[in-house]
Amino acid sequence: MQTSYEPISEEEFDRIYRSSLVKKRLRSQVEELKLTQFFDPYGLFVGDELRLVIGETVVTGGVRDQERQFLVVGQAIVPPEYRRQGTLRAAASDIVDSCKQRDVPFAILRENKDGFYRQYGVRPVVDRRTWQCQPAELLSVIDEYTGEFHELHLKDWKQLQNIHSQYIDQFSLTLQRTETHWRWILSDDFGESYRTTVWMKEGAPRGYVVYNVDDNQLVEIDSGYIDTEALCHILYYLGLHEPECETVVFEGPDRGRVFNLVGGGAECRVSPEVCLMVVDVASALGCIAAPPTESVLVSVSQQLESEKKMFEIKNNGEVKRRPTVSDPDVSLNSGTLAQLAAGYRSPSELNKLGYVKFQTKCGRKMFERMFPKRLPFIRDNI
């Protein structure tokens, strides 16, 4: 199948996307949807036929505090007449090629309910933790609140950015947000603003929450805080919405801390959410916590490529491609490398699961040093 993956007009994107929503009956007001607020429209062509549309954008982020570029990929839509013809598989290959042409080493994708991307070596690197409780459960996280709560609007996004920049410092996988990104987060699919509140103490913004109330349920859209005190006040604020809502739904990266604050009154569902695709293996191998004290040879296989590639990680952290004639210290695939780079699982955990093979003691020791487990967190509203 000869394909081309290229930018398309918003009109072409809207035509296919909206018709799909109508057929699935997902929206009753599709004419008012704002579909390309954050993503750029791309399409997969077979000859002159547009067989898939997808939203994507390139953003700057970090892996273990090292700046990297990411291609953020939104939902793909294939018209019914072209489904089950290998269109999505062709798109996966073309997305990788597009990243290579733009020197983008990683792609971020939302986990598909069928695990579609996993057949291409893509693995989840962020778990979605969704909490649900009654508002009253959140009022007990503090005895008495201090500071002040203020409503914010779209024009105040820089205040949120200041908090968010401090908030993401604790995570091993991060994305930087632009004004366009913020405007997309702070509005729903129809361009209507969500409610946004900031908690301030001694005149300084220290935590924020973006939320919506619908059908007696408060749903947190996004939040950030600089410390546990700010988190407590944000949770307390959500609890103040009784009797306006019967339940509160919110997300968070740290399961243990929320359990300690809220106790047994909240239910938590955990599921894989954000996936990371490694396009440039050398760049991913360079995302380490500390350089090895001895050079390590690493063999990496990629699902979309037939050959295994050999790399040397030197004791200064430099990564070099090497001929495959030597025996490696460590063998793994690119999906496992994504989980290591992000800190989602430790080398020993992945070894027990059979995803990392250590051929030498040196390889095991150096990988434990380079890729310790950390907390990756990116919201699914990327």
Side-chain angles (χ1 to χ4, degrees), residues 123-183:
R123 294 290 181 269
V125 295
V126 175
D127 285 335
R128 180 177 188 174
R129 293 178 172 88
T130 305
W131 303 84
Q132 182 169 318
C133 64
Q134 296 178 347
E137 298 286 348
L138 300 175
L139 295 177
S140 62
V141 298
I142 54 177
D143 295 328
E144 183 178 356
Y145 84 88
T146 59
E148 299 175 325
F149 294 106
H150 293 285
E151 182 181 359
L152 295 185
H153 304 281
L154 284 173
K155 63 181 179 61
D156 303 310
W157 68 270
K158 288 185 178 180
Q159 289 191 50
L160 305 180
Q161 176 76 336
N162 182 52
I163 300 171
H164 181 74
S165 297
Q166 298 177 70
Y167 173 61
I168 63 176
D169 279 346
Q170 63 185 301
F171 304 129
S172 56
L173 184 65
T174 61
L175 294 182
Q176 296 178 15
R177 294 180 176 179
T178 62
E179 180 178 357
T180 300
H181 196 163
W182 275 111
R183 290 184 176 278

Side-chain angles (χ1 to χ4, degrees), residues 149-382:
F149 294 106
H150 293 285
E151 182 181 359
L152 295 185
H153 304 281
L154 284 173
K155 63 181 179 61
D156 303 310
W157 68 270
K158 288 185 178 180
Q159 289 191 50
L160 305 180
Q161 176 76 336
N162 182 52
I163 300 171
H164 181 74
S165 297
Q166 298 177 70
Y167 173 61
I168 63 176
D169 279 346
Q170 63 185 301
F171 304 129
S172 56
L173 184 65
T174 61
L175 294 182
Q176 296 178 15
R177 294 180 176 179
T178 62
E179 180 178 357
T180 300
H181 196 163
W182 275 111
R183 290 184 176 278
W184 181 65
I185 290 173
L186 298 177
S187 305
D188 65 17
D189 292 338
F190 300 97
E192 297 295 325
S193 296
Y194 291 124
R195 303 185 193 182
T196 303
T197 296
V198 64
W199 177 64
M200 304 186 70
K201 184 176 181 181
E202 298 176 352
R206 298 184 61 182
Y208 73 87
V209 61
V210 182
Y211 65 99
N212 189 42
V213 177
D214 188 26
D215 292 332
N216 296 321
Q217 185 176 72
L218 185 153
V219 178
E220 176 250 2
I221 309 298
D222 190 65
S223 60
Y225 39 86
I226 65 172
D227 53 25
T228 300
E229 182 185 22
L231 168 61
C232 289
H233 279 78
I234 292 301
L235 293 177
Y236 175 81
Y237 176 80
L238 296 179
L240 292 174
H241 286 76
E242 188 179 34
E244 182 183 6
C245 58
E246 298 176 359
T247 58
V248 176
V249 179
F250 61 97
E251 294 184 32
D254 192 339
R255 188 176 183 180
R257 181 156 54 167
V258 175
F259 264 130
N260 291 336
L261 292 172
V262 182
E267 298 178 0
C268 180
R269 299 191 310 275
V270 182
S271 59
E273 186 65 21
V274 175
C275 295
L276 184 67
M277 174 188 283
V278 172
V279 177
D280 186 335
V281 172
S283 182
L285 286 171
C287 296
I288 55 179
T293 56
E294 302 177 52
S295 293
V296 181
L297 285 178
V298 185
S299 174
V300 182
S301 60
Q302 289 182 281
Q303 196 73 18
L304 293 171
E305 299 180 9
S306 57
E307 67 170 328
K308 295 182 179 179
K309 297 179 180 178
M310 186 78 76
F311 296 86
E312 179 185 7
I313 307 178
K314 297 184 176 182
N315 58 9
N316 62 358
E318 184 181 4
V319 180
K320 289 289 186 181
R321 180 79 182 272
R322 293 294 183 230
T324 55
V325 293
S326 303
D327 293 330
D329 297 298
V330 183
S331 299
L332 70 165
N333 62 38
S334 58
T336 301
L337 175 58
Q339 293 188 330
L340 284 171
Y344 182 71
R345 286 196 173 104
S346 70
S348 59
E349 288 174 329
L350 290 165
N351 176 245
K352 290 178 181 178
L353 293 170
Y355 297 141
V356 175
K357 294 183 179 179
F358 296 117
Q359 271 81 17
T360 66
K361 291 182 179 180
C362 171
R364 179 187 294 271
K365 181 180 178 181
M366 292 303 103
F367 257 57
E368 294 288 356
R369 172 183 170 85
M370 292 186 293
F371 298 108
K373 189 173 182 178
R374 279 192 62 185
L375 180 64
F377 185 64
I378 295 177
R379 293 296 293 265
D380 72 333
N381 56 12
I382 45 179

